[in-house]
Amino acid sequence: MQDSIYTIPISEVFEPKCGCPICTMRNTLEDRCIDYIMGAAMMEPDVRIETNKTGFCKEHFDMMMKKRNRLSLALMLESHLAELNAKIMDAKSLGNLLDKTARAKKVSKINSSCYVCDKIDWAMERQLATIYRLYETERSFRELYAAQEYFCLPHYELLCSQAASHLNKKYVGEFIKTTTALTVNCLEGLSRDVSHFCKMFDYRNNGDDADWGNSRDSIERAVTFLTSREPK
Ligand SMILES: [Zn+2]
Ligand SMILES: [Zn+2]
């Protein structure tokens, strides 16, 4: 059951043609993972063994804090902190944290690891493989791909950097060209809107009839495009 929650039909994220479809995919995987570990997985010791080892990043702690289920988070933290205390930060290790010992490496690892990030990376890898396969085998999917609103910059890099190793040579050039065109088109629109936003602060534009055009939310849209995350 656990693996099936990390599989999303590709058509579900590409059909709406709204925003970056890879962001939609990542957001769905993220929601499912967080709901799972804070709900059904509370009874599954193997998930807790993992979360005890990895912990979570700030972004995913924030998402969990926003859920109603504080007890789930407290129980995960209780055993994560206990493991950290018993296995890594015990008194003997404290003198060694600045050298290259195995314990120092463990502290460094726990500072940079996150159960949710790991799961998303793993699931995205499989989802991307499906995207490349569909691109190669289905003309209707190539058309759907080219009809997307845009790809954000981090996902542009993700899609293009793996294209050569996943796609048949015949499709690599076309795939990168299409992906680049969608990303550049979005970037150009954002540049215009942000410039327009800046001009609106000119004293000549402060009347009631000032025309903001599409620029009012241009900062939010630019941050989303550049980071793949909507600003909070
Ligand atoms: Zn994206
Ligand atoms: Zn994370």
Side-chain angles (χ1 to χ4, degrees):
M1 128 81 189
Q2 204 197 330
D3 283 3
S4 64
I5 63 169
Y6 298 114
T7 306
I8 301 163
I10 302 300
S11 57
E12 213 171 88
V13 288
F14 277 80
E15 288 288 359
K17 298 173 198 162
C18 175
C20 169
I22 312 299
C23 282
T24 308
M25 184 181 283
R26 190 267 329 276
N27 294 346
T28 308
L29 290 167
E30 195 165 55
D31 283 346
R32 288 184 183 182
C33 181
I34 287 174
D35 283 348
Y36 176 64
I37 54 173
M38 295 189 79
M42 290 308 292
M43 295 298 144
E44 292 190 27
D46 55 331
V47 173
R48 187 74 74 82
I49 289 168
E50 279 295 306
T51 60
N52 286 347
K53 269 194 225 151
T54 56
F56 302 96
C57 68
K58 165 84 167 73
E59 183 115 36
H60 291 130
F61 266 131
D62 282 347
M63 287 181 193
M64 289 191 283
M65 301 275 285
K66 285 198 184 118
K67 299 272 175 189
R68 283 198 185 157
N69 197 347
R70 277 280 163 118
L71 178 59
S72 278
L73 180 54
L75 290 168
M76 278 191 281
L77 279 173
E78 184 186 32
S79 54
H80 175 54
L81 293 173
E83 178 154 329
L84 183 59
N85 206 14
K87 293 194 178 162
I88 298 175
M89 295 298 289
D90 61 307
K92 273 185 294 176
S93 72
L94 293 178
N96 294 331
L97 288 181
L98 293 178
D99 61 27
K100 297 271 188 284
T101 60
R103 280 178 203 278
K105 280 183 194 153
K106 277 186 191 165
V107 176
S108 165
K109 186 167 182 281
I110 212 157
N111 272 328
S112 58
S113 64
C114 166
Y115 180 87
V116 182
C117 285
D118 287 353
K119 274 286 165 199
I120 291 172
D121 287 349
W122 170 81
M124 287 286 273
E125 194 73 31
R126 296 160 81 226
Q127 293 281 122
L128 281 190
T130 310
I131 290 173
Y132 295 124
R133 185 173 49 73
L134 286 172
Y135 195 91
E136 228 172 62
T137 54
E138 292 183 19
R139 174 200 276 265
S140 61
F141 181 71
R142 289 195 288 278
E143 286 165 5
L144 181 61
Y145 187 92
Q148 295 306 300
E149 188 183 354
Y150 72 91
F151 293 104
C152 71
L153 200 60
H155 291 140
Y156 166 72
E157 183 195 358
L158 185 70
L159 286 162
C160 290
S161 64
Q162 298 192 22
S165 56
H166 281 80
L167 276 173
N168 183 315
K169 251 188 185 166
K170 188 175 147 198
Y171 291 108
V172 176
E174 178 195 314
F175 180 88
I176 289 179
K177 199 172 155 197
T178 305
T179 313
T180 305
L182 288 165
T183 307
V184 168
N185 185 44
C186 177
L187 175 60
E188 287 173 353
L190 281 170
S191 301
R192 277 194 299 274
D193 291 347
V194 171
S195 287
H196 190 114
F197 185 93
C198 296
K199 287 195 189 84
M200 295 313 287
F201 288 82
D202 189 299
Y203 70 95
R204 283 162 293 192
N205 284 323
N206 58 10
D208 288 342
D209 58 345
D211 177 16
W212 285 78
N214 287 326
S215 72
R216 279 189 196 277
D217 63 348
S218 60
I219 294 178
E220 286 80 358
R221 285 186 287 115
V223 171
T224 304
F225 172 79
L226 292 169
T227 66
S228 93
R229 296 282 187 187
E230 283 180 22
K232 286 171 190 138

